[in-house]
Amino acid sequence: MSGASITVTGHDQKAAWRDKVLPAVEQVRKGVWSIPVPFPNHPMRYTLSYLLLGADDAVLVDPGWASDVGWQHLAAGLAQADVGFSELTGVVVTHRHADHLGLAARVREASGAWVALGEHETLGVPTDGDDAARIAEDRSLLRLWGVPENRLDEVVVDPKRLTARGLAEPDLRFAGDTLVPAAGLRLRVVATPGHTPGHICLVDEARGLIFSGDHVLPRITPNISFEISGPVNPLEDYYESLNLIGFEDDMEVCPAHEYRFSGMRRRVDQLQADNRARSAEVVKILAGGSAHSIWEIARLLTWSRGWHSLQGPVLRLALGETASHVVYLASQGHDVQVPVREAMPAGDAAW
């Protein structure tokens, strides 16, 4: 058990997570394999890719971060399942982040398989356009959020890091409540925006499995960030999509990180409670009257390793998370006089 919340089913995976080593390739069910792909120089350490075998087709879910080491691990995992790249029919990626989508282009080139994303997923900053203008726009947003001048360079958007260079453009787009086109498999797509605008989960009811990507993890609360070019209210989207995927407790959840578990409904309840507690913390800070910007609110929030530990991209994520709570609270009728975006239609709250 993890607290009173979930029931751990991937015991060897949890032991590997605890010991900070790569877990082994596992056969989760007949025709379903879990293949860990290294995510180097990152606290998550690896992405759990899943191979699903049908009568005639084979689908790979979340192939992982693009590196030669990752490719070798993925190839070895497929070989353990007695499958070669040429036998893959499709690659389903739960969302755009490079630790999920990174190897998709290389897999497609080696196999001829199609690559699919959710219908509303974007790949990040477009590769065309003026990077200098984007940086200037982002600096303006960060100043609106109250970021001190001496921290702007640290957290400003890096277009080269956020572009889709090297990432696979999808061949297919999946809407919610549709089936993945693979013979011998019955995988239902659930649209689960929040962590990204077009995140999807997959439900295999026949095998009793839910492939949850980063939407629901057994221990970590996914980051839900406000982005100026993203959804208007990402935290509200996340709440709604948690309800869509938290429909029962008995199916085994296969996340993209950490370890397998059962108790999806219980975990969803916990994630919702954790986010509401965070919103309540923001309300309390605002009631104190000393915080008038995203930066000032974030500085007073509770962070697992403390505010001063947050630097660079992690600090940017923390600010985006704070902004998403401010936007959500304003949408729920709270008097939130903290600016989040610049161009506000007449009659809108300060967010």
Side-chain angles (χ1 to χ4, degrees), residues 9-334:
T9 55
H11 298 287
D12 291 342
Q13 289 178 334
K14 185 177 181 183
W17 180 263
R18 179 197 63 214
D19 296 339
K20 298 184 178 181
V21 298
L22 197 70
V25 174
E26 288 189 57
Q27 185 170 14
V28 179
R29 299 280 193 282
K30 182 179 180 181
V32 180
W33 294 77
S34 170
I35 304 171
V37 177
F39 185 10
N41 304 314
H42 193 279
M44 298 304 289
R45 301 199 301 277
Y46 57 83
T47 300
L48 293 169
S49 182
Y50 297 96
L51 173 66
L52 285 69
L53 304 176
D56 300 303
D57 290 344
V59 171
L60 190 66
V61 180
D62 286 345
W65 180 267
S67 71
D68 288 340
V69 170
W71 181 257
Q72 292 163 9
H73 278 269
L74 183 59
L78 292 175
Q80 192 165 328
D82 198 25
V83 172
F85 282 107
S86 63
E87 297 172 78
L88 294 177
T89 307
V91 180
V92 181
V93 184
T94 58
H95 63 294
R96 68 190 184 201
H97 291 158
D99 57 314
H100 298 254
L101 182 59
L103 275 173
R106 191 168 177 179
V107 171
R108 178 168 57 191
E109 183 179 356
S111 65
W114 47 257
V115 173
L117 284 168
E119 65 173 338
H120 298 301
E121 191 66 303
T122 59
L123 292 183
V125 178
T127 55
D128 58 343
D130 186 346
D131 284 354
R134 290 196 182 99
I135 291 171
E137 181 183 21
D138 196 52
R139 281 178 176 276
S140 178
L141 174 68
L142 293 172
R143 288 189 178 103
L144 185 72
W145 285 6
V147 177
E149 288 292 322
N150 65 348
R151 303 296 296 272
L152 286 176
D153 287 343
E154 181 183 348
V155 295
V156 73
V157 67
D158 179 356
K160 292 181 176 59
R161 184 175 63 85
L162 296 180
T163 56
R165 297 180 181 101
L167 296 179
E169 289 280 354
D171 304 295
L172 302 176
R173 292 279 191 173
F174 292 155
D177 210 28
T178 59
L179 295 177
V180 173
L185 295 173
R186 189 171 177 82
L187 291 173
R188 179 168 60 88
V189 176
V190 181
T192 51
H195 183 58
T196 66
H199 193 292
I200 58 173
C201 295
L202 302 172
V203 178
D204 185 340
E205 292 178 351
R207 289 163 162 155
L209 298 173
I210 301 174
F211 301 92
S212 65
D214 282 1
H215 185 58
V216 178
L217 301 173
R219 188 184 63 90
I220 295 171
T221 300
N223 177 265
I224 312 299
S225 282
F226 178 85
E227 301 172 10
I228 201 65
S229 59
V232 172
N233 196 340
L235 185 54
E236 183 174 60
D237 293 343
Y238 185 58
Y239 283 137
E240 291 175 357
S241 53
L242 280 175
N243 286 329
L244 282 177
I245 202 66
F247 55 85
E248 63 91 71
D249 260 354
D250 292 333
M251 295 178 77
E252 188 171 23
V253 182
C254 298
H257 302 287
E258 299 180 323
Y259 40 84
R260 299 190 310 280
F261 66 96
S262 63
M264 175 65 94
R265 180 69 252 174
R266 285 171 280 157
R267 182 60 179 145
V268 162
D269 289 345
Q270 186 179 61
L271 287 168
Q272 289 178 331
D274 288 348
N275 275 285
R276 296 194 191 283
R278 179 61 115 195
S279 285
E281 192 178 5
V282 173
V283 169
K284 185 176 180 180
I285 289 169
L286 290 172
S290 62
H292 305 287
S293 69
I294 297 300
W295 178 271
E296 290 173 348
I297 295 169
R299 186 174 56 83
L300 296 173
L301 286 170
T302 303
W303 302 100
S304 60
R305 292 180 175 85
W307 167 251
H308 294 293
S309 71
L310 304 178
Q311 299 178 13
V314 176
L315 176 58
R316 179 58 183 258
L317 291 175
L319 294 171
E321 176 188 317
T322 303
S324 74
H325 282 274
V326 169
V327 167
Y328 177 75
L329 288 167
S331 75
Q332 299 300 301
H334 289 267

